[in-house]
Amino acid sequence: LLVYAGAYALADDLLARVQEIEPGASDPLVKARIHQAVALRALVRGDLAQHLVRIEAATAGYVEAGDLRSACMAQITLGFARSDLGAHAPAERALREALATAERLGLPGPAAYARHTLGLVLSRRGALDEARAVEQEAVRSFEATGDARLAGGSRAYLAQILAQLGDLEGAEREAGAAIDGLAGAPAVRAFALATRARIRVARARPG
């Protein structure tokens, strides 16, 4: 939560304390939570390799601990991490597996999160029509549950997808809607602002 709120100094201080106890941790659930926290901070820092290594360990730890919901959520993040490093096919497989698990377990939140991330990965490999449909469904799901942060993130991804499809007007509209709903999530709002800026540049470009 501290990272999502942009309180990076406080997050770093807390993580430093947590990592001091990491070598002595034996409970797989505790170890998985530490891996996941360190993975998130690595992502924000731009250390994609560390993010991947840590989220792989977190996923395995949650499975070992029998925490299926957390394992599902971590696997979604694993799909994102793989895609960030260009491994789109393994990323898509992980996300489709996580989506199937979430639906089988009756977990609407993780299912929506899986669709949110799957939409991005599909767009990266050029499956734009499916990406748009999947991301639109994610937006509807997050708005239905009142999750403003992930609804805004999904709208920002949807804006990118629409821009790739050539619908720059629709893309700017979605980016604007994302920004409006992200006042409490500065890191995600910054991403939405950057997305809208790129779209506006594209709209102003001749031809």
Side-chain angles (χ1 to χ4, degrees):
L1 291 176
L2 290 172
V3 172
Y4 288 131
Y8 300 128
L10 286 173
D12 286 343
D13 181 59
L14 181 59
L15 279 177
R17 297 181 188 181
V18 167
Q19 287 181 271
E20 287 178 1
I21 68 169
E22 183 178 10
S26 58
D27 186 323
L29 185 58
V30 171
K31 291 164 66 176
R33 293 190 189 284
I34 293 172
H35 284 307
Q36 191 166 25
V38 176
L40 176 59
R41 190 64 184 103
L43 175 63
V44 173
R45 284 198 183 105
D47 188 346
L48 301 184
Q50 173 76 344
H51 180 235
L52 176 60
V53 168
R54 285 289 192 162
I55 205 62
E56 283 178 336
T59 304
Y62 286 129
V63 170
E64 182 183 353
D67 186 342
L68 299 183
R69 186 186 190 283
S70 294
C72 181
M73 291 293 287
Q75 186 171 356
I76 295 165
T77 306
L78 175 59
F80 177 83
R82 287 174 174 170
S83 182
D84 260 1
L85 289 169
H88 302 314
E92 184 178 343
R93 284 196 299 273
L95 290 165
R96 291 194 186 278
E97 288 173 5
L99 177 57
T101 298
E103 290 179 334
R104 185 178 71 251
L105 296 175
L107 301 172
Y113 187 44
R115 289 189 181 93
H116 165 53
T117 311
L118 180 59
L120 173 68
V121 173
L122 289 170
S123 73
R124 285 175 171 176
R125 72 165 183 80
L128 297 178
D129 289 331
E130 185 182 3
R132 175 176 54 191
V134 168
E135 206 63 58
Q136 286 171 334
E137 188 171 355
V139 170
R140 289 192 293 269
S141 297
F142 288 132
E143 289 185 339
T145 59
D147 192 327
R149 182 179 66 82
L150 286 173
S154 289
R155 283 192 179 277
Y157 282 177
L158 181 56
Q160 291 183 330
I161 293 164
L162 292 174
Q164 288 177 265
L165 284 164
D167 180 6
L168 295 178
E169 181 179 352
E172 185 171 349
R173 185 170 57 249
E174 288 295 341
I179 292 163
D180 290 343
L182 287 168
V188 186
R189 190 170 189 270
F191 170 71
L193 285 165
T195 298
R196 186 174 66 178
R198 287 191 294 271
I199 292 165
R200 286 179 170 175
V201 169
R203 291 191 76 182
R205 189 178 298 132

